[in-house]
Amino acid sequence: MTSSRTYELRQRAERQRETRRRIVEAAVDLHTTMGPSRTSVKAIAERAGVTRPTVYAHFPDERALFQACSGHVGETVPPPEASAWAAIADPGERLETALGELYAYYERLETLFTHVERDALTMPVVAELNDQRLEYLDEVRELLLAGWGARGRAKARVRATIGHTLEFGTWQSLVRRQGCRQSEAVELMSAFVAAAAP
């Protein structure tokens, strides 16, 4: 293969990567502003500056596109790194740190999460991808449960209370509907968990 042919293939591959990136970014933007259920392939194509067949060439089905969008969001706005909290020995301090970072993350992605939670009720593929976020929260809950000294029914109560504090809906209710500052929401939920602990 000649060097010019190799160069042409590299250029073509780069153009394809760039087109794929534009499609994914257009889809994420529309999912954020309108929600997945209200985003059409036609709208994605127009936003990305490509044709509908081009969108389908890169993403033959809804699942492939949504997985790419989920991966893009995870790379550009990753969730807080939970393993860093494990080094904080005091459970109350660990909880406050985690909530502060998690609530800031929710603030950055609020519009997208609002639409995703709505559409997860009617779109199985969205529900499936949303479940991955919920699995992350389950792991965070178990990490934050350590050190509270609870056993049996008391441990189950603390686990449930921590789980409630981690929910996007909890943050949204406190900050958006009740008018709490971010720091106040963290303090309130930390006190809530402390009250549930033995």
Side-chain angles (χ1 to χ4, degrees):
M1 187 179 291
T2 65
S3 59
S4 63
R5 177 68 176 148
T6 302
Y7 176 72
E8 286 172 14
L9 289 174
R10 274 201 302 265
Q11 274 194 319
R12 182 170 180 235
E14 181 55 40
R15 283 194 303 272
Q16 287 179 332
R17 280 193 296 273
E18 172 62 19
T19 299
R20 181 183 173 87
R21 182 191 61 76
R22 288 202 326 268
I23 292 168
V24 170
E25 288 181 352
V28 168
D29 187 40
L30 288 166
H31 290 170
T32 300
T33 56
M34 300 171 60
S37 67
R38 298 175 185 172
T39 297
S40 66
V41 172
K42 180 182 177 188
I44 292 170
E46 288 174 357
R47 179 73 57 99
V50 299
T51 63
R52 288 177 62 189
T54 299
V55 174
Y56 287 120
H58 286 272
F59 302 102
D61 56 42
E62 197 174 61
R63 179 179 301 279
L65 177 60
F66 284 14
Q67 285 176 332
C69 290
S70 180
H72 177 75
V73 172
E75 288 175 11
T76 55
V77 189
E81 184 53 60
S83 61
W85 305 326
I88 303 172
D90 180 80
E93 183 184 343
R94 187 187 320 124
L95 177 68
E96 283 190 22
T97 302
L99 291 178
E101 292 180 24
L102 190 64
Y103 288 178
Y105 171 68
Y106 286 159
E107 186 171 36
R108 290 186 69 189
L109 292 174
E110 179 180 9
T111 308
L112 178 61
F113 283 165
T114 299
H115 292 315
V116 165
E117 290 207 337
R118 178 199 68 204
D119 292 347
L121 299 174
T122 57
M123 299 181 72
V125 67
V126 175
E128 185 181 312
L129 292 171
N130 194 47
D131 283 347
Q132 294 173 6
R133 182 178 64 84
L134 300 180
E135 286 172 14
Y136 162 79
L137 292 180
D138 287 344
E139 292 170 8
V140 169
R141 182 191 61 204
E142 295 310 305
L143 178 109
L144 298 178
L145 182 61
W148 287 98
R151 293 172 183 248
R153 186 63 200 139
K155 185 174 184 178
R157 185 174 64 242
V158 175
R159 176 183 280 118
T161 307
I162 291 172
H164 177 71
T165 69
L166 299 176
E167 292 287 338
F168 170 70
T170 299
W171 169 81
Q172 199 170 47
S173 174
L174 287 169
V175 174
R176 297 300 180 223
R177 289 195 271 283
Q178 308 308 322
C180 291
R181 292 191 306 272
Q182 201 94 289
S183 59
E184 289 175 325
V186 170
E187 288 173 15
L188 283 169
M189 290 300 95
S190 296
F192 182 44
V193 173

